[in-house]
Amino acid sequence: MTEDNPNRIENSTNGRNPGISISDIYRMLAPFRQSENWKAIWQLTSTLVLYFCTWYLMIRSVELGYSYLWTLLLAVPAAAFLVRIFIFFHDCAHGSFFSSKKANSFFGYICGVLVFTDFAEWRYNHLRHHVSFANLDERGYGDVWTLTVAEYRKLSKWRRGLYRLYRNPVVLFFLGGLILFLIINRYPDRRAGKKVIVSVMFTNLLILALVFSAAQFIGLWTYFLIQIPVIWMAGAAGIWLFYVQHQFSNGYWARGEDWDRWKASMEGCSFYRMPAILRWCSGNIGYHHIHHLNPLIPNYNLKRCYDSVPVVQIERPVTLLESLSCPHLKLWDEEKRKMVFFP
């Protein structure tokens, strides 16, 4: 920020357009906030059809006695479709997917049952994540447990071991999805209040009804043979995406009054460059820096926004190859101002 105008940006992350005010940037982004119901309906309908058709093929592969490997192979696209459904759920939580608040809530709950996540509680935590991300003094809402080097050194051996276990890639990615979506999401965050607690219980009942109905039509064992690998793969992919978007080498974290939304969005959130097919599966969430600059931009407008507004274009995005090193980063070094390995 410049001293004469605290709302003026000195340099963008890509070195372009110095001196543009934050209000100017928000005006540039404003046209892309417009929700388009026909796009939302097409995205939701086409993805649900693909998802349930894949489920049908998996059901038949089990019922006809084919090798379970075929079911697992089919679980891969099913999981990809479920990740995409989660992005619709995410947009509904921001009120950006549909232009109607009621439509966002209704379809948010429907998608929430499919992704084993209560809409009201997740919205509560996620919206707080948006006002506290990259702020070292406001951690604890919908984020990955992240400690500074100094905080880690002050921990007892037991707490260090717990943190190391949590940040272990096997636990965080391969087990994390099942633990989060099947167990943790069944319990409400009591900080959210009674309405959210009731909502979680209601969602749990809907999930039980779904499981019971599936058991009646295809058998409980068949349902588990399909649902567990799908939710496991989708959960692992979802956690991976969220991790890479906030846990990368040259990131940004700050404390208290030093926290800056522009820097937090442009430097604390990655632009995760992916091939077109992965962009489709992940609902363009790789443009995460734009999403944090303006969370009211729906997924179907993120790429167009990036291509149209030069000030939000990143010269060095996180590539697929570079993202493979992100799980090795464990702590934020406040002196070096970067993510580092364990000491």
Side-chain angles (χ1 to χ4, degrees):
M1 300 289 180
T2 58
E3 294 181 358
D4 59 329
N5 185 351
N7 291 321
R8 193 160 290 279
I9 297 168
E10 287 182 345
N11 290 290
S12 65
T13 302
N14 59 7
R16 301 177 187 175
N17 301 305
I20 296 178
S21 69
I22 292 177
S23 58
D24 287 339
I25 292 173
Y26 283 143
R27 278 195 291 271
M28 295 177 192
L29 300 180
F32 303 96
R33 290 174 45 178
Q34 185 66 40
S35 300
E36 299 182 56
N37 291 332
W38 71 271
K39 285 186 179 180
I41 292 170
W42 167 247
Q43 281 193 331
L44 186 60
T45 303
S46 59
T47 305
L48 287 176
V49 168
L50 290 170
Y51 182 61
F52 288 124
C53 284
T54 310
W55 256 81
Y56 175 76
L57 293 175
M58 286 190 287
I59 292 169
R60 295 300 293 159
S61 72
V62 173
E63 291 178 340
L64 295 174
Y66 289 116
S67 170
Y68 187 54
L69 288 176
W70 289 108
T71 306
L72 292 178
L73 285 173
L74 287 167
V76 175
F81 300 143
L82 193 60
V83 169
R84 185 167 164 83
I85 291 169
F86 191 92
I87 298 301
F88 306 155
F89 166 83
H90 164 268
D91 279 7
C92 286
H94 283 292
S96 63
F97 196 49
F98 292 98
S99 59
S100 164
K101 182 178 179 180
K102 290 183 178 179
N104 282 312
S105 294
F106 177 78
F107 287 105
Y109 272 101
I110 296 298
C111 292
V113 171
L114 295 177
V115 298
F116 285 67
T117 306
D118 176 66
F119 179 69
E121 184 193 34
W122 194 83
R123 178 173 57 187
Y124 170 84
N125 279 303
H126 188 67
L127 295 184
R128 277 153 186 78
H129 160 72
H130 269 266
V131 298
S132 64
F133 73 102
N135 189 329
L136 290 171
D137 294 330
E138 299 291 339
R139 286 165 286 176
Y141 287 97
D143 51 16
V144 175
W145 186 15
T146 305
L147 295 176
T148 67
V149 172
E151 290 169 342
Y152 177 78
R153 285 174 172 159
K154 291 178 182 178
L155 292 179
S156 65
K157 288 185 178 180
W158 185 85
R159 292 281 291 177
R160 285 187 186 184
L162 184 62
Y163 185 74
R164 281 178 174 271
L165 179 65
Y166 173 87
R167 300 285 298 210
N168 187 295
V170 174
V171 175
L172 190 59
F173 302 115
F174 292 99
L175 298 179
L178 288 177
I179 295 171
L180 175 63
F181 291 98
L182 296 184
I183 300 174
I184 295 177
N185 283 354
R186 306 284 66 78
Y187 297 92
D189 185 338
R190 298 191 179 277
R191 296 174 297 180
K194 292 183 178 179
K195 288 185 178 180
V196 169
I197 293 174
V198 172
S199 178
V200 172
M201 298 306 169
F202 176 68
T203 297
N204 288 344
L205 289 174
L206 289 177
I207 292 172
L208 278 175
L210 177 65
V211 174
F212 179 79
S213 299
Q216 298 302 306
F217 285 99
I218 64 175
L220 189 60
W221 181 241
T222 299
Y223 173 76
F224 283 149
L225 286 175
I226 296 171
Q227 184 68 84
I228 297 301
V230 170
I231 200 71
W232 171 61
M233 293 181 193
I239 292 174
W240 172 265
L241 286 169
F242 186 81
Y243 187 94
V244 172
Q245 288 157 356
H246 291 284
Q247 306 272 322
F248 53 99
S249 180
N250 296 318
Y252 171 91
W253 288 85
R255 290 190 181 275
E257 295 180 354
D258 293 330
W259 185 85
D260 178 86
R261 176 170 290 279
W262 167 260
K263 288 186 177 180
S265 299
M266 294 296 292
E267 299 175 25
C269 302
S270 68
F271 167 36
Y272 193 17
R273 177 173 287 168
M274 293 178 278
I277 183 63
L278 295 183
R279 283 205 314 271
W280 184 89
C281 294
S282 61
N284 289 319
I285 202 63
Y287 298 94
H288 209 63
H289 62 299
I290 298 177
H291 171 64
H292 270 276
L293 275 175
N294 196 324
L296 294 178
I297 299 175
N299 77 87
Y300 43 79
N301 286 341
L302 284 172
K303 185 180 186 302
R304 186 162 59 89
C305 177
Y306 181 86
D307 293 339
S308 304
V309 183
V311 74
V312 299
Q313 293 172 1
I314 305 293
E315 283 186 354
R316 285 212 58 193
V318 175
T319 64
L320 284 176
L321 183 61
E322 290 172 338
S323 70
L324 298 179
S325 66
C326 290
H328 299 293
L329 303 172
K330 311 292 186 179
L331 300 163
W332 175 254
D333 191 316
E334 290 189 85
E335 294 182 0
K336 296 179 180 178
R337 302 193 63 79
K338 63 186 296 185
M339 292 292 297
V340 295
F341 306 133
F342 281 123

